[in-house]
Amino acid sequence: MHKIAKSVAVVLITLAATACSSKQGEDPAMTKSSPEVLYSQARTSMELGNYSKAVRSLEALDSRFPFGPHKTQVQLDLIYAYYKLDDPASGIANIDRFIRLNPTHKDIDYVYYMRGLVNMQSDRYLFHDMLNIDRSDRDPKAAQDAFKDFDRLIKSYPNSKYAADAQKRMQHLKNRLALYSIKVAEYYIKMNAWSAAAVRAQSVLETYPGTPSAEKALEIMSTAYGELGQEKLKDHALMVMKANFPNNKLVAN
């Protein structure tokens, strides 16, 4: 037993030494390169679309030369590289650090814009998109955060060159969040929780007006109010339905 333990210890020590040797010899040029050379390598990697390699160079710069001549641009490039690598956790961490350290930077509007994009990325499920699977019922927190990011950008920096695109993305997010509320309301209907269903559907009209989900929200409201015996509220919902969606089956006749 003593011999086995000794052998295991020798193997572990050998593996650790090999790992250290491998790590040290992984890229000796990167540990010795000047900040100018490292940044040039990072930019070349990004231009070639090799964002994994770019991140390695940028992280080396960020750790070895935190006060170097390219310090803020390195952080901005890291944000973009993590976004391209579909690594929202690292992206958000670097964005929040940049905002904390550089709240008045000339490109702070870009950083808030990227925060919105990264949060939208968190909300997206590539596998579901590829298979055309509807998962509008998934947790909307990332979508809500993205909406807030774009809203802050537009309100704080209305003349930003990113404002117009942020506005378009906010509309997409409104549609997504409205649809999530519809899914919740439909769940309440399945549970015969009519009052909760009506309240949730009403919130779609109040919080996300003008979205495609408005018609469905009115349908849910009229059904729920009917089940609750609230005829006046049901009639009002149908009146709004007829004014805005005259071809809907509930009011077409």
Side-chain angles (χ1 to χ4, degrees):
M1 183 66 71
H2 177 69
K3 289 183 179 179
I4 293 174
K6 185 175 181 180
S7 298
V8 170
V10 170
V11 170
L12 291 174
I13 292 171
T14 303
L15 287 173
T18 303
C20 291
S21 175
S22 173
K23 187 175 182 181
Q24 290 174 354
E26 200 170 54
D27 194 348
M30 192 171 289
T31 61
K32 297 178 181 178
S33 297
S34 67
E36 289 74 17
V37 170
L38 276 174
Y39 188 66
S40 177
Q41 291 173 347
R43 292 303 307 174
T44 299
S45 297
M46 290 184 73
E47 289 167 7
L48 294 174
N50 190 342
Y51 294 101
S52 295
K53 186 174 181 180
V55 162
R56 289 196 294 273
S57 297
L58 292 167
E59 286 181 339
L61 261 171
D62 195 38
S63 60
R64 291 182 55 215
F65 306 103
F67 305 105
H70 306 291
K71 62 178 182 178
T72 53
Q73 190 58 49
V74 165
Q75 293 169 17
L76 290 171
D77 288 345
L78 266 174
I79 290 168
Y80 184 74
Y82 281 127
Y83 171 69
K84 296 298 288 186
L85 286 173
D86 200 3
D87 185 353
S90 297
I92 291 294
N94 278 269
I95 286 169
D96 288 348
R97 182 183 68 154
F98 188 95
I99 293 172
R100 186 175 68 254
L101 298 176
N102 310 280
T104 60
H105 191 273
K106 64 182 181 65
D107 294 320
I108 197 69
D109 60 326
Y110 166 77
V111 177
Y112 280 113
Y113 174 69
M114 286 302 301
R115 199 177 198 283
L117 290 185
V118 172
N119 272 316
M120 282 189 75
Q121 189 177 65
S122 293
D123 186 59
R124 183 174 59 87
Y125 288 75
L126 180 60
F127 180 73
H128 295 150
D129 293 344
M130 289 173 62
L131 297 180
N132 198 29
I133 298 174
D134 178 18
R135 281 306 314 275
S136 52
D137 59 343
R138 63 186 181 272
D139 184 353
K141 184 181 184 309
Q144 291 168 340
D145 289 343
F147 188 89
K148 292 176 185 176
D149 294 330
F150 291 134
D151 186 55
R152 179 168 184 172
L153 167 65
I154 291 169
K155 289 179 178 176
S156 301
Y157 311 96
N159 298 321
S160 169
K161 63 181 179 180
Y162 306 104
D165 187 67
Q167 187 72 59
K168 293 177 183 177
R169 292 178 185 276
M170 284 180 71
Q171 185 58 54
H172 169 80
L173 289 164
K174 278 178 65 175
N175 294 343
R176 183 264 191 268
L177 293 169
L179 187 56
Y180 173 78
S181 285
I182 291 296
K183 296 291 185 181
V184 173
E186 288 176 335
Y187 170 77
Y188 286 145
I189 284 178
K190 289 180 181 178
M191 301 298 292
N192 294 327
W194 304 109
S195 181
V199 169
R200 195 72 189 222
Q202 178 69 32
S203 74
V204 171
L205 301 181
E206 294 175 349
T207 310
Y208 311 112
T211 63
S213 296
E215 183 173 4
K216 186 64 179 178
L218 288 165
E219 289 180 2
I220 292 172
M221 289 168 65
S222 70
T223 300
Y225 288 138
E227 292 290 337
L228 291 168
Q230 300 284 342
E231 292 303 320
K232 287 185 178 180
L233 291 175
K234 176 183 176 180
D235 290 344
H236 179 72
L238 290 174
M239 181 181 70
V240 175
M241 173 83 78
K242 189 169 185 176
N244 292 276
F245 308 101
N247 296 321
N248 187 281
K249 62 184 180 181
L250 294 181
V251 295
N253 298 327

